[in-house]
Amino acid sequence: MASIQLDKIGKSFGAVDTIREIDLAIGDGEFVCLLGPSGCGKTTTLRMIAGLEQPTRGSIRIGGRDVTCAQPKDRNIGMVFQDYALYPHMTIADNIAYPLKVRGVVEAARHEKAGEIAQVLHIDHLLDRLPAQISGGQQQRTSLARALVHPADAFLFDEPLSNLDARMRVEARAFLYHLQRSRGMTAVYVTHDQAEAMALSTRIAVMCAGDIVQYAPPLEIYRRPATTFVAGFVGDPPMNLVAVEAARSEHGITLRGAGLEVSPFASWLALDRALEHSDRITVGVRPEHLRIAKGDAGTNRLRGKLFANEAMGPESLVTLDLDGGVRVTARVFGDATVRIDGDAAFAFDTDRITLFDAQGVRIPGGAESSPN
Ligand code: ATP
């Protein structure tokens, strides 16, 4: 296995800068997800690592070796694509063994190797069948087996689970997790599914419009999103974001707007700096940090009208419409007994809110907590 290093990598298609300038250091044995919305440049970045796309600028190293201009076959990587790309006329055994065949491994040895990996992936009873004769999940594992049959320095995955149904997807996700962690494979994985990225990654690179906006372990991204974009992309439902105005009084800073009110709290250096430029602040609060307020009085409240109350089993998702078309959701345990379109309020603790400046960048530190 090997580390992967992207230095100032950029890619333009004609006049369009699809990837601006990316630096990304992936450690040996890491599982890094490239996460972002459609069209942000995830696949292009992966294809440049694979050698299927030539970068316009910058350099790529795998295991310390500069491979920027190397052919895909000379990079020693395994790839798994979204559509599996199995050869329909070949048996599962021949599909798995194909990378060994092109490397000149003799038939007996390659079938032995294919059998071994098929056993690990629980598809050894399907070796004589054709791809059309096995299920989607089994095809996906065949595609994985084909990538893994040849020892590679790193494995690249492009949305490999997206063709599976929801249940099989969760099963395959845990399987991939186990496989990668137990083998210590270096893996780069493209997805627009934040749950998949949270579950699998040692670190997530969140991409937006050809840039990496945050690169950190999953829980760091969840707890301290760098920008409102990251906050709104990670989490299901994502972090609630409410634009407010900050005002100073003798009691401290107060935040108010769109039905949100935060009791006065002491400012800190980073917040002071942000407020020098603008008193427009965005307050972020995760759904699990909201609860249904008993009674209407008090601050640290979000007030609005009940839009939806969805019972999910152990918990409910309760959504309020605030002023100005802002919608916020709470994850509450048990049932919420509020009328549709009736007045309702959520309560929260000040130390659970995240503040973002007028540009949407997180203000480090927090109300009632020490700056970090
Ligand atoms: P998705 O999740 O939809 O696959 P993505 O984040 O992987 O999206 P890319 O496939 O990397 O995004 O594409 C990024 C941008 O580059 C898109 O706007 C796409 O249209 C453009 N693009 C990709 N390949 C080419 C190409 N060969 N020629 C021109 N534009 C391209």
Side-chain angles (χ1 to χ4, degrees):
M1 298 297 153
S3 61
I4 299 173
Q5 180 101 34
L6 309 189
D7 284 312
K8 300 196 171 10
I9 277 292
K11 177 73 188 175
S12 310
F13 290 109
V16 181
D17 283 346
T18 292
I19 304 294
R20 288 169 211 281
E21 187 181 286
I22 281 183
D23 287 316
L24 186 65
I26 298 166
D28 191 357
E30 266 207 271
F31 197 127
V32 168
C33 279
L34 306 180
L35 173 70
S38 183
C40 70
K42 308 178 294 291
T43 295
T44 303
T45 305
L46 196 78
R47 286 173 60 81
M48 287 195 286
I49 299 173
L52 299 170
E53 204 74 73
Q54 186 62 31
T56 312
R57 47 201 171 268
S59 67
I60 300 175
R61 278 178 291 154
I62 299 179
R65 187 167 66 96
D66 191 326
V67 295
T68 316
C69 299
Q71 291 294 313
K73 66 177 176 47
D74 298 327
R75 298 190 182 205
N76 201 26
I77 44 172
M79 277 203 78
V80 183
F81 297 97
Q82 181 175 352
D83 60 2
Y84 318 136
L86 298 177
Y87 298 108
H89 58 285
M90 284 189 196
T91 63
I92 299 308
D94 287 339
N95 263 288
I96 297 173
Y98 190 73
L100 301 176
K101 187 175 180 183
V102 296
R103 285 175 174 85
V105 177
V106 296
E107 189 172 355
R110 63 177 190 256
H111 275 151
E112 189 185 329
K113 204 84 189 99
E116 278 171 22
I117 191 80
Q119 208 170 3
V120 175
L121 292 161
H122 307 300
I123 44 173
D124 46 325
H125 58 296
L126 306 170
L127 288 169
D128 295 332
R129 297 205 197 163
L130 293 172
Q133 297 167 327
I134 62 176
S135 74
Q138 291 163 339
Q139 289 183 27
Q140 182 259 337
R141 275 181 275 164
T142 304
S143 164
L144 257 181
R146 186 179 53 185
L148 296 171
V149 74
H150 173 70
D153 285 337
F155 292 91
L156 309 181
F157 300 92
D158 194 352
E159 309 226 23
L161 310 185
S162 56
N163 287 344
L164 303 182
D165 66 36
R167 186 172 172 174
M168 206 181 277
R169 203 173 162 139
V170 171
E171 223 175 273
R173 192 174 78 191
F175 177 81
L176 254 184
Y177 177 98
H178 185 86
L179 192 74
Q180 191 273 337
R181 296 301 196 274
S182 56
R183 290 185 160 215
M185 300 154 40
T186 304
V188 188
Y189 188 104
V190 161
T191 183
H192 60 265
D193 178 341
Q194 60 86 33
E196 217 162 86
M198 288 296 289
L200 288 169
S201 309
T202 53
R203 281 192 285 179
I204 300 175
V206 184
M207 294 186 70
C208 176
D211 275 324
I212 293 178
V213 283
Q214 189 168 12
Y215 182 40
L219 287 180
E220 171 73 13
I221 288 197
Y222 191 79
R223 291 180 185 144
R224 281 184 276 277
T227 63
T228 46
F229 171 80
V230 178
F233 200 77
V234 174
D236 182 24
M239 183 181 267
N240 297 296
L241 297 169
V242 183
V244 297
E245 265 180 40
R248 288 178 191 279
S249 75
E250 70 214 72
H251 305 295
I253 306 275
T254 52
L255 303 174
R256 250 192 217 108
L260 180 142
E261 198 179 344
V262 181
S263 26
F265 57 88
S267 189
W268 64 93
L269 193 61
L271 179 58
D272 285 341
R273 284 203 187 121
L275 294 179
E276 276 170 23
H277 299 288
S278 171
D279 56 9
R280 299 294 298 167
I281 294 279
T282 297
V283 174
V285 57
R286 292 266 174 217
E288 61 271 29
H289 295 145
L290 292 173
R291 52 190 187 274
I292 296 190
K294 306 264 183 280
D296 197 33
T299 47
N300 293 345
R301 293 281 195 273
L302 278 157
R303 292 187 178 81
K305 301 220 177 286
L306 186 95
F307 177 74
N309 180 9
E310 301 161 88
M312 311 298 286
E315 61 190 18
S316 298
L317 295 179
V318 183
T319 302
L320 300 190
D321 270 346
L322 312 184
D323 287 346
V326 183
R327 198 162 274 175
V328 290
T329 299
R331 185 190 291 280
V332 297
F333 283 92
D335 272 340
T337 49
V338 192
R339 271 184 311 107
I340 198 99
D341 286 331
D343 289 334
F346 295 148
F348 54 86
D349 297 327
T350 326
D351 59 357
R352 291 299 199 176
I353 62 175
T354 303
L355 301 184
F356 301 91
D357 68 15
Q359 275 70 49
V361 175
R362 189 177 77 90
I363 301 168
E368 289 185 6
S369 67
S370 55
N372 54 19

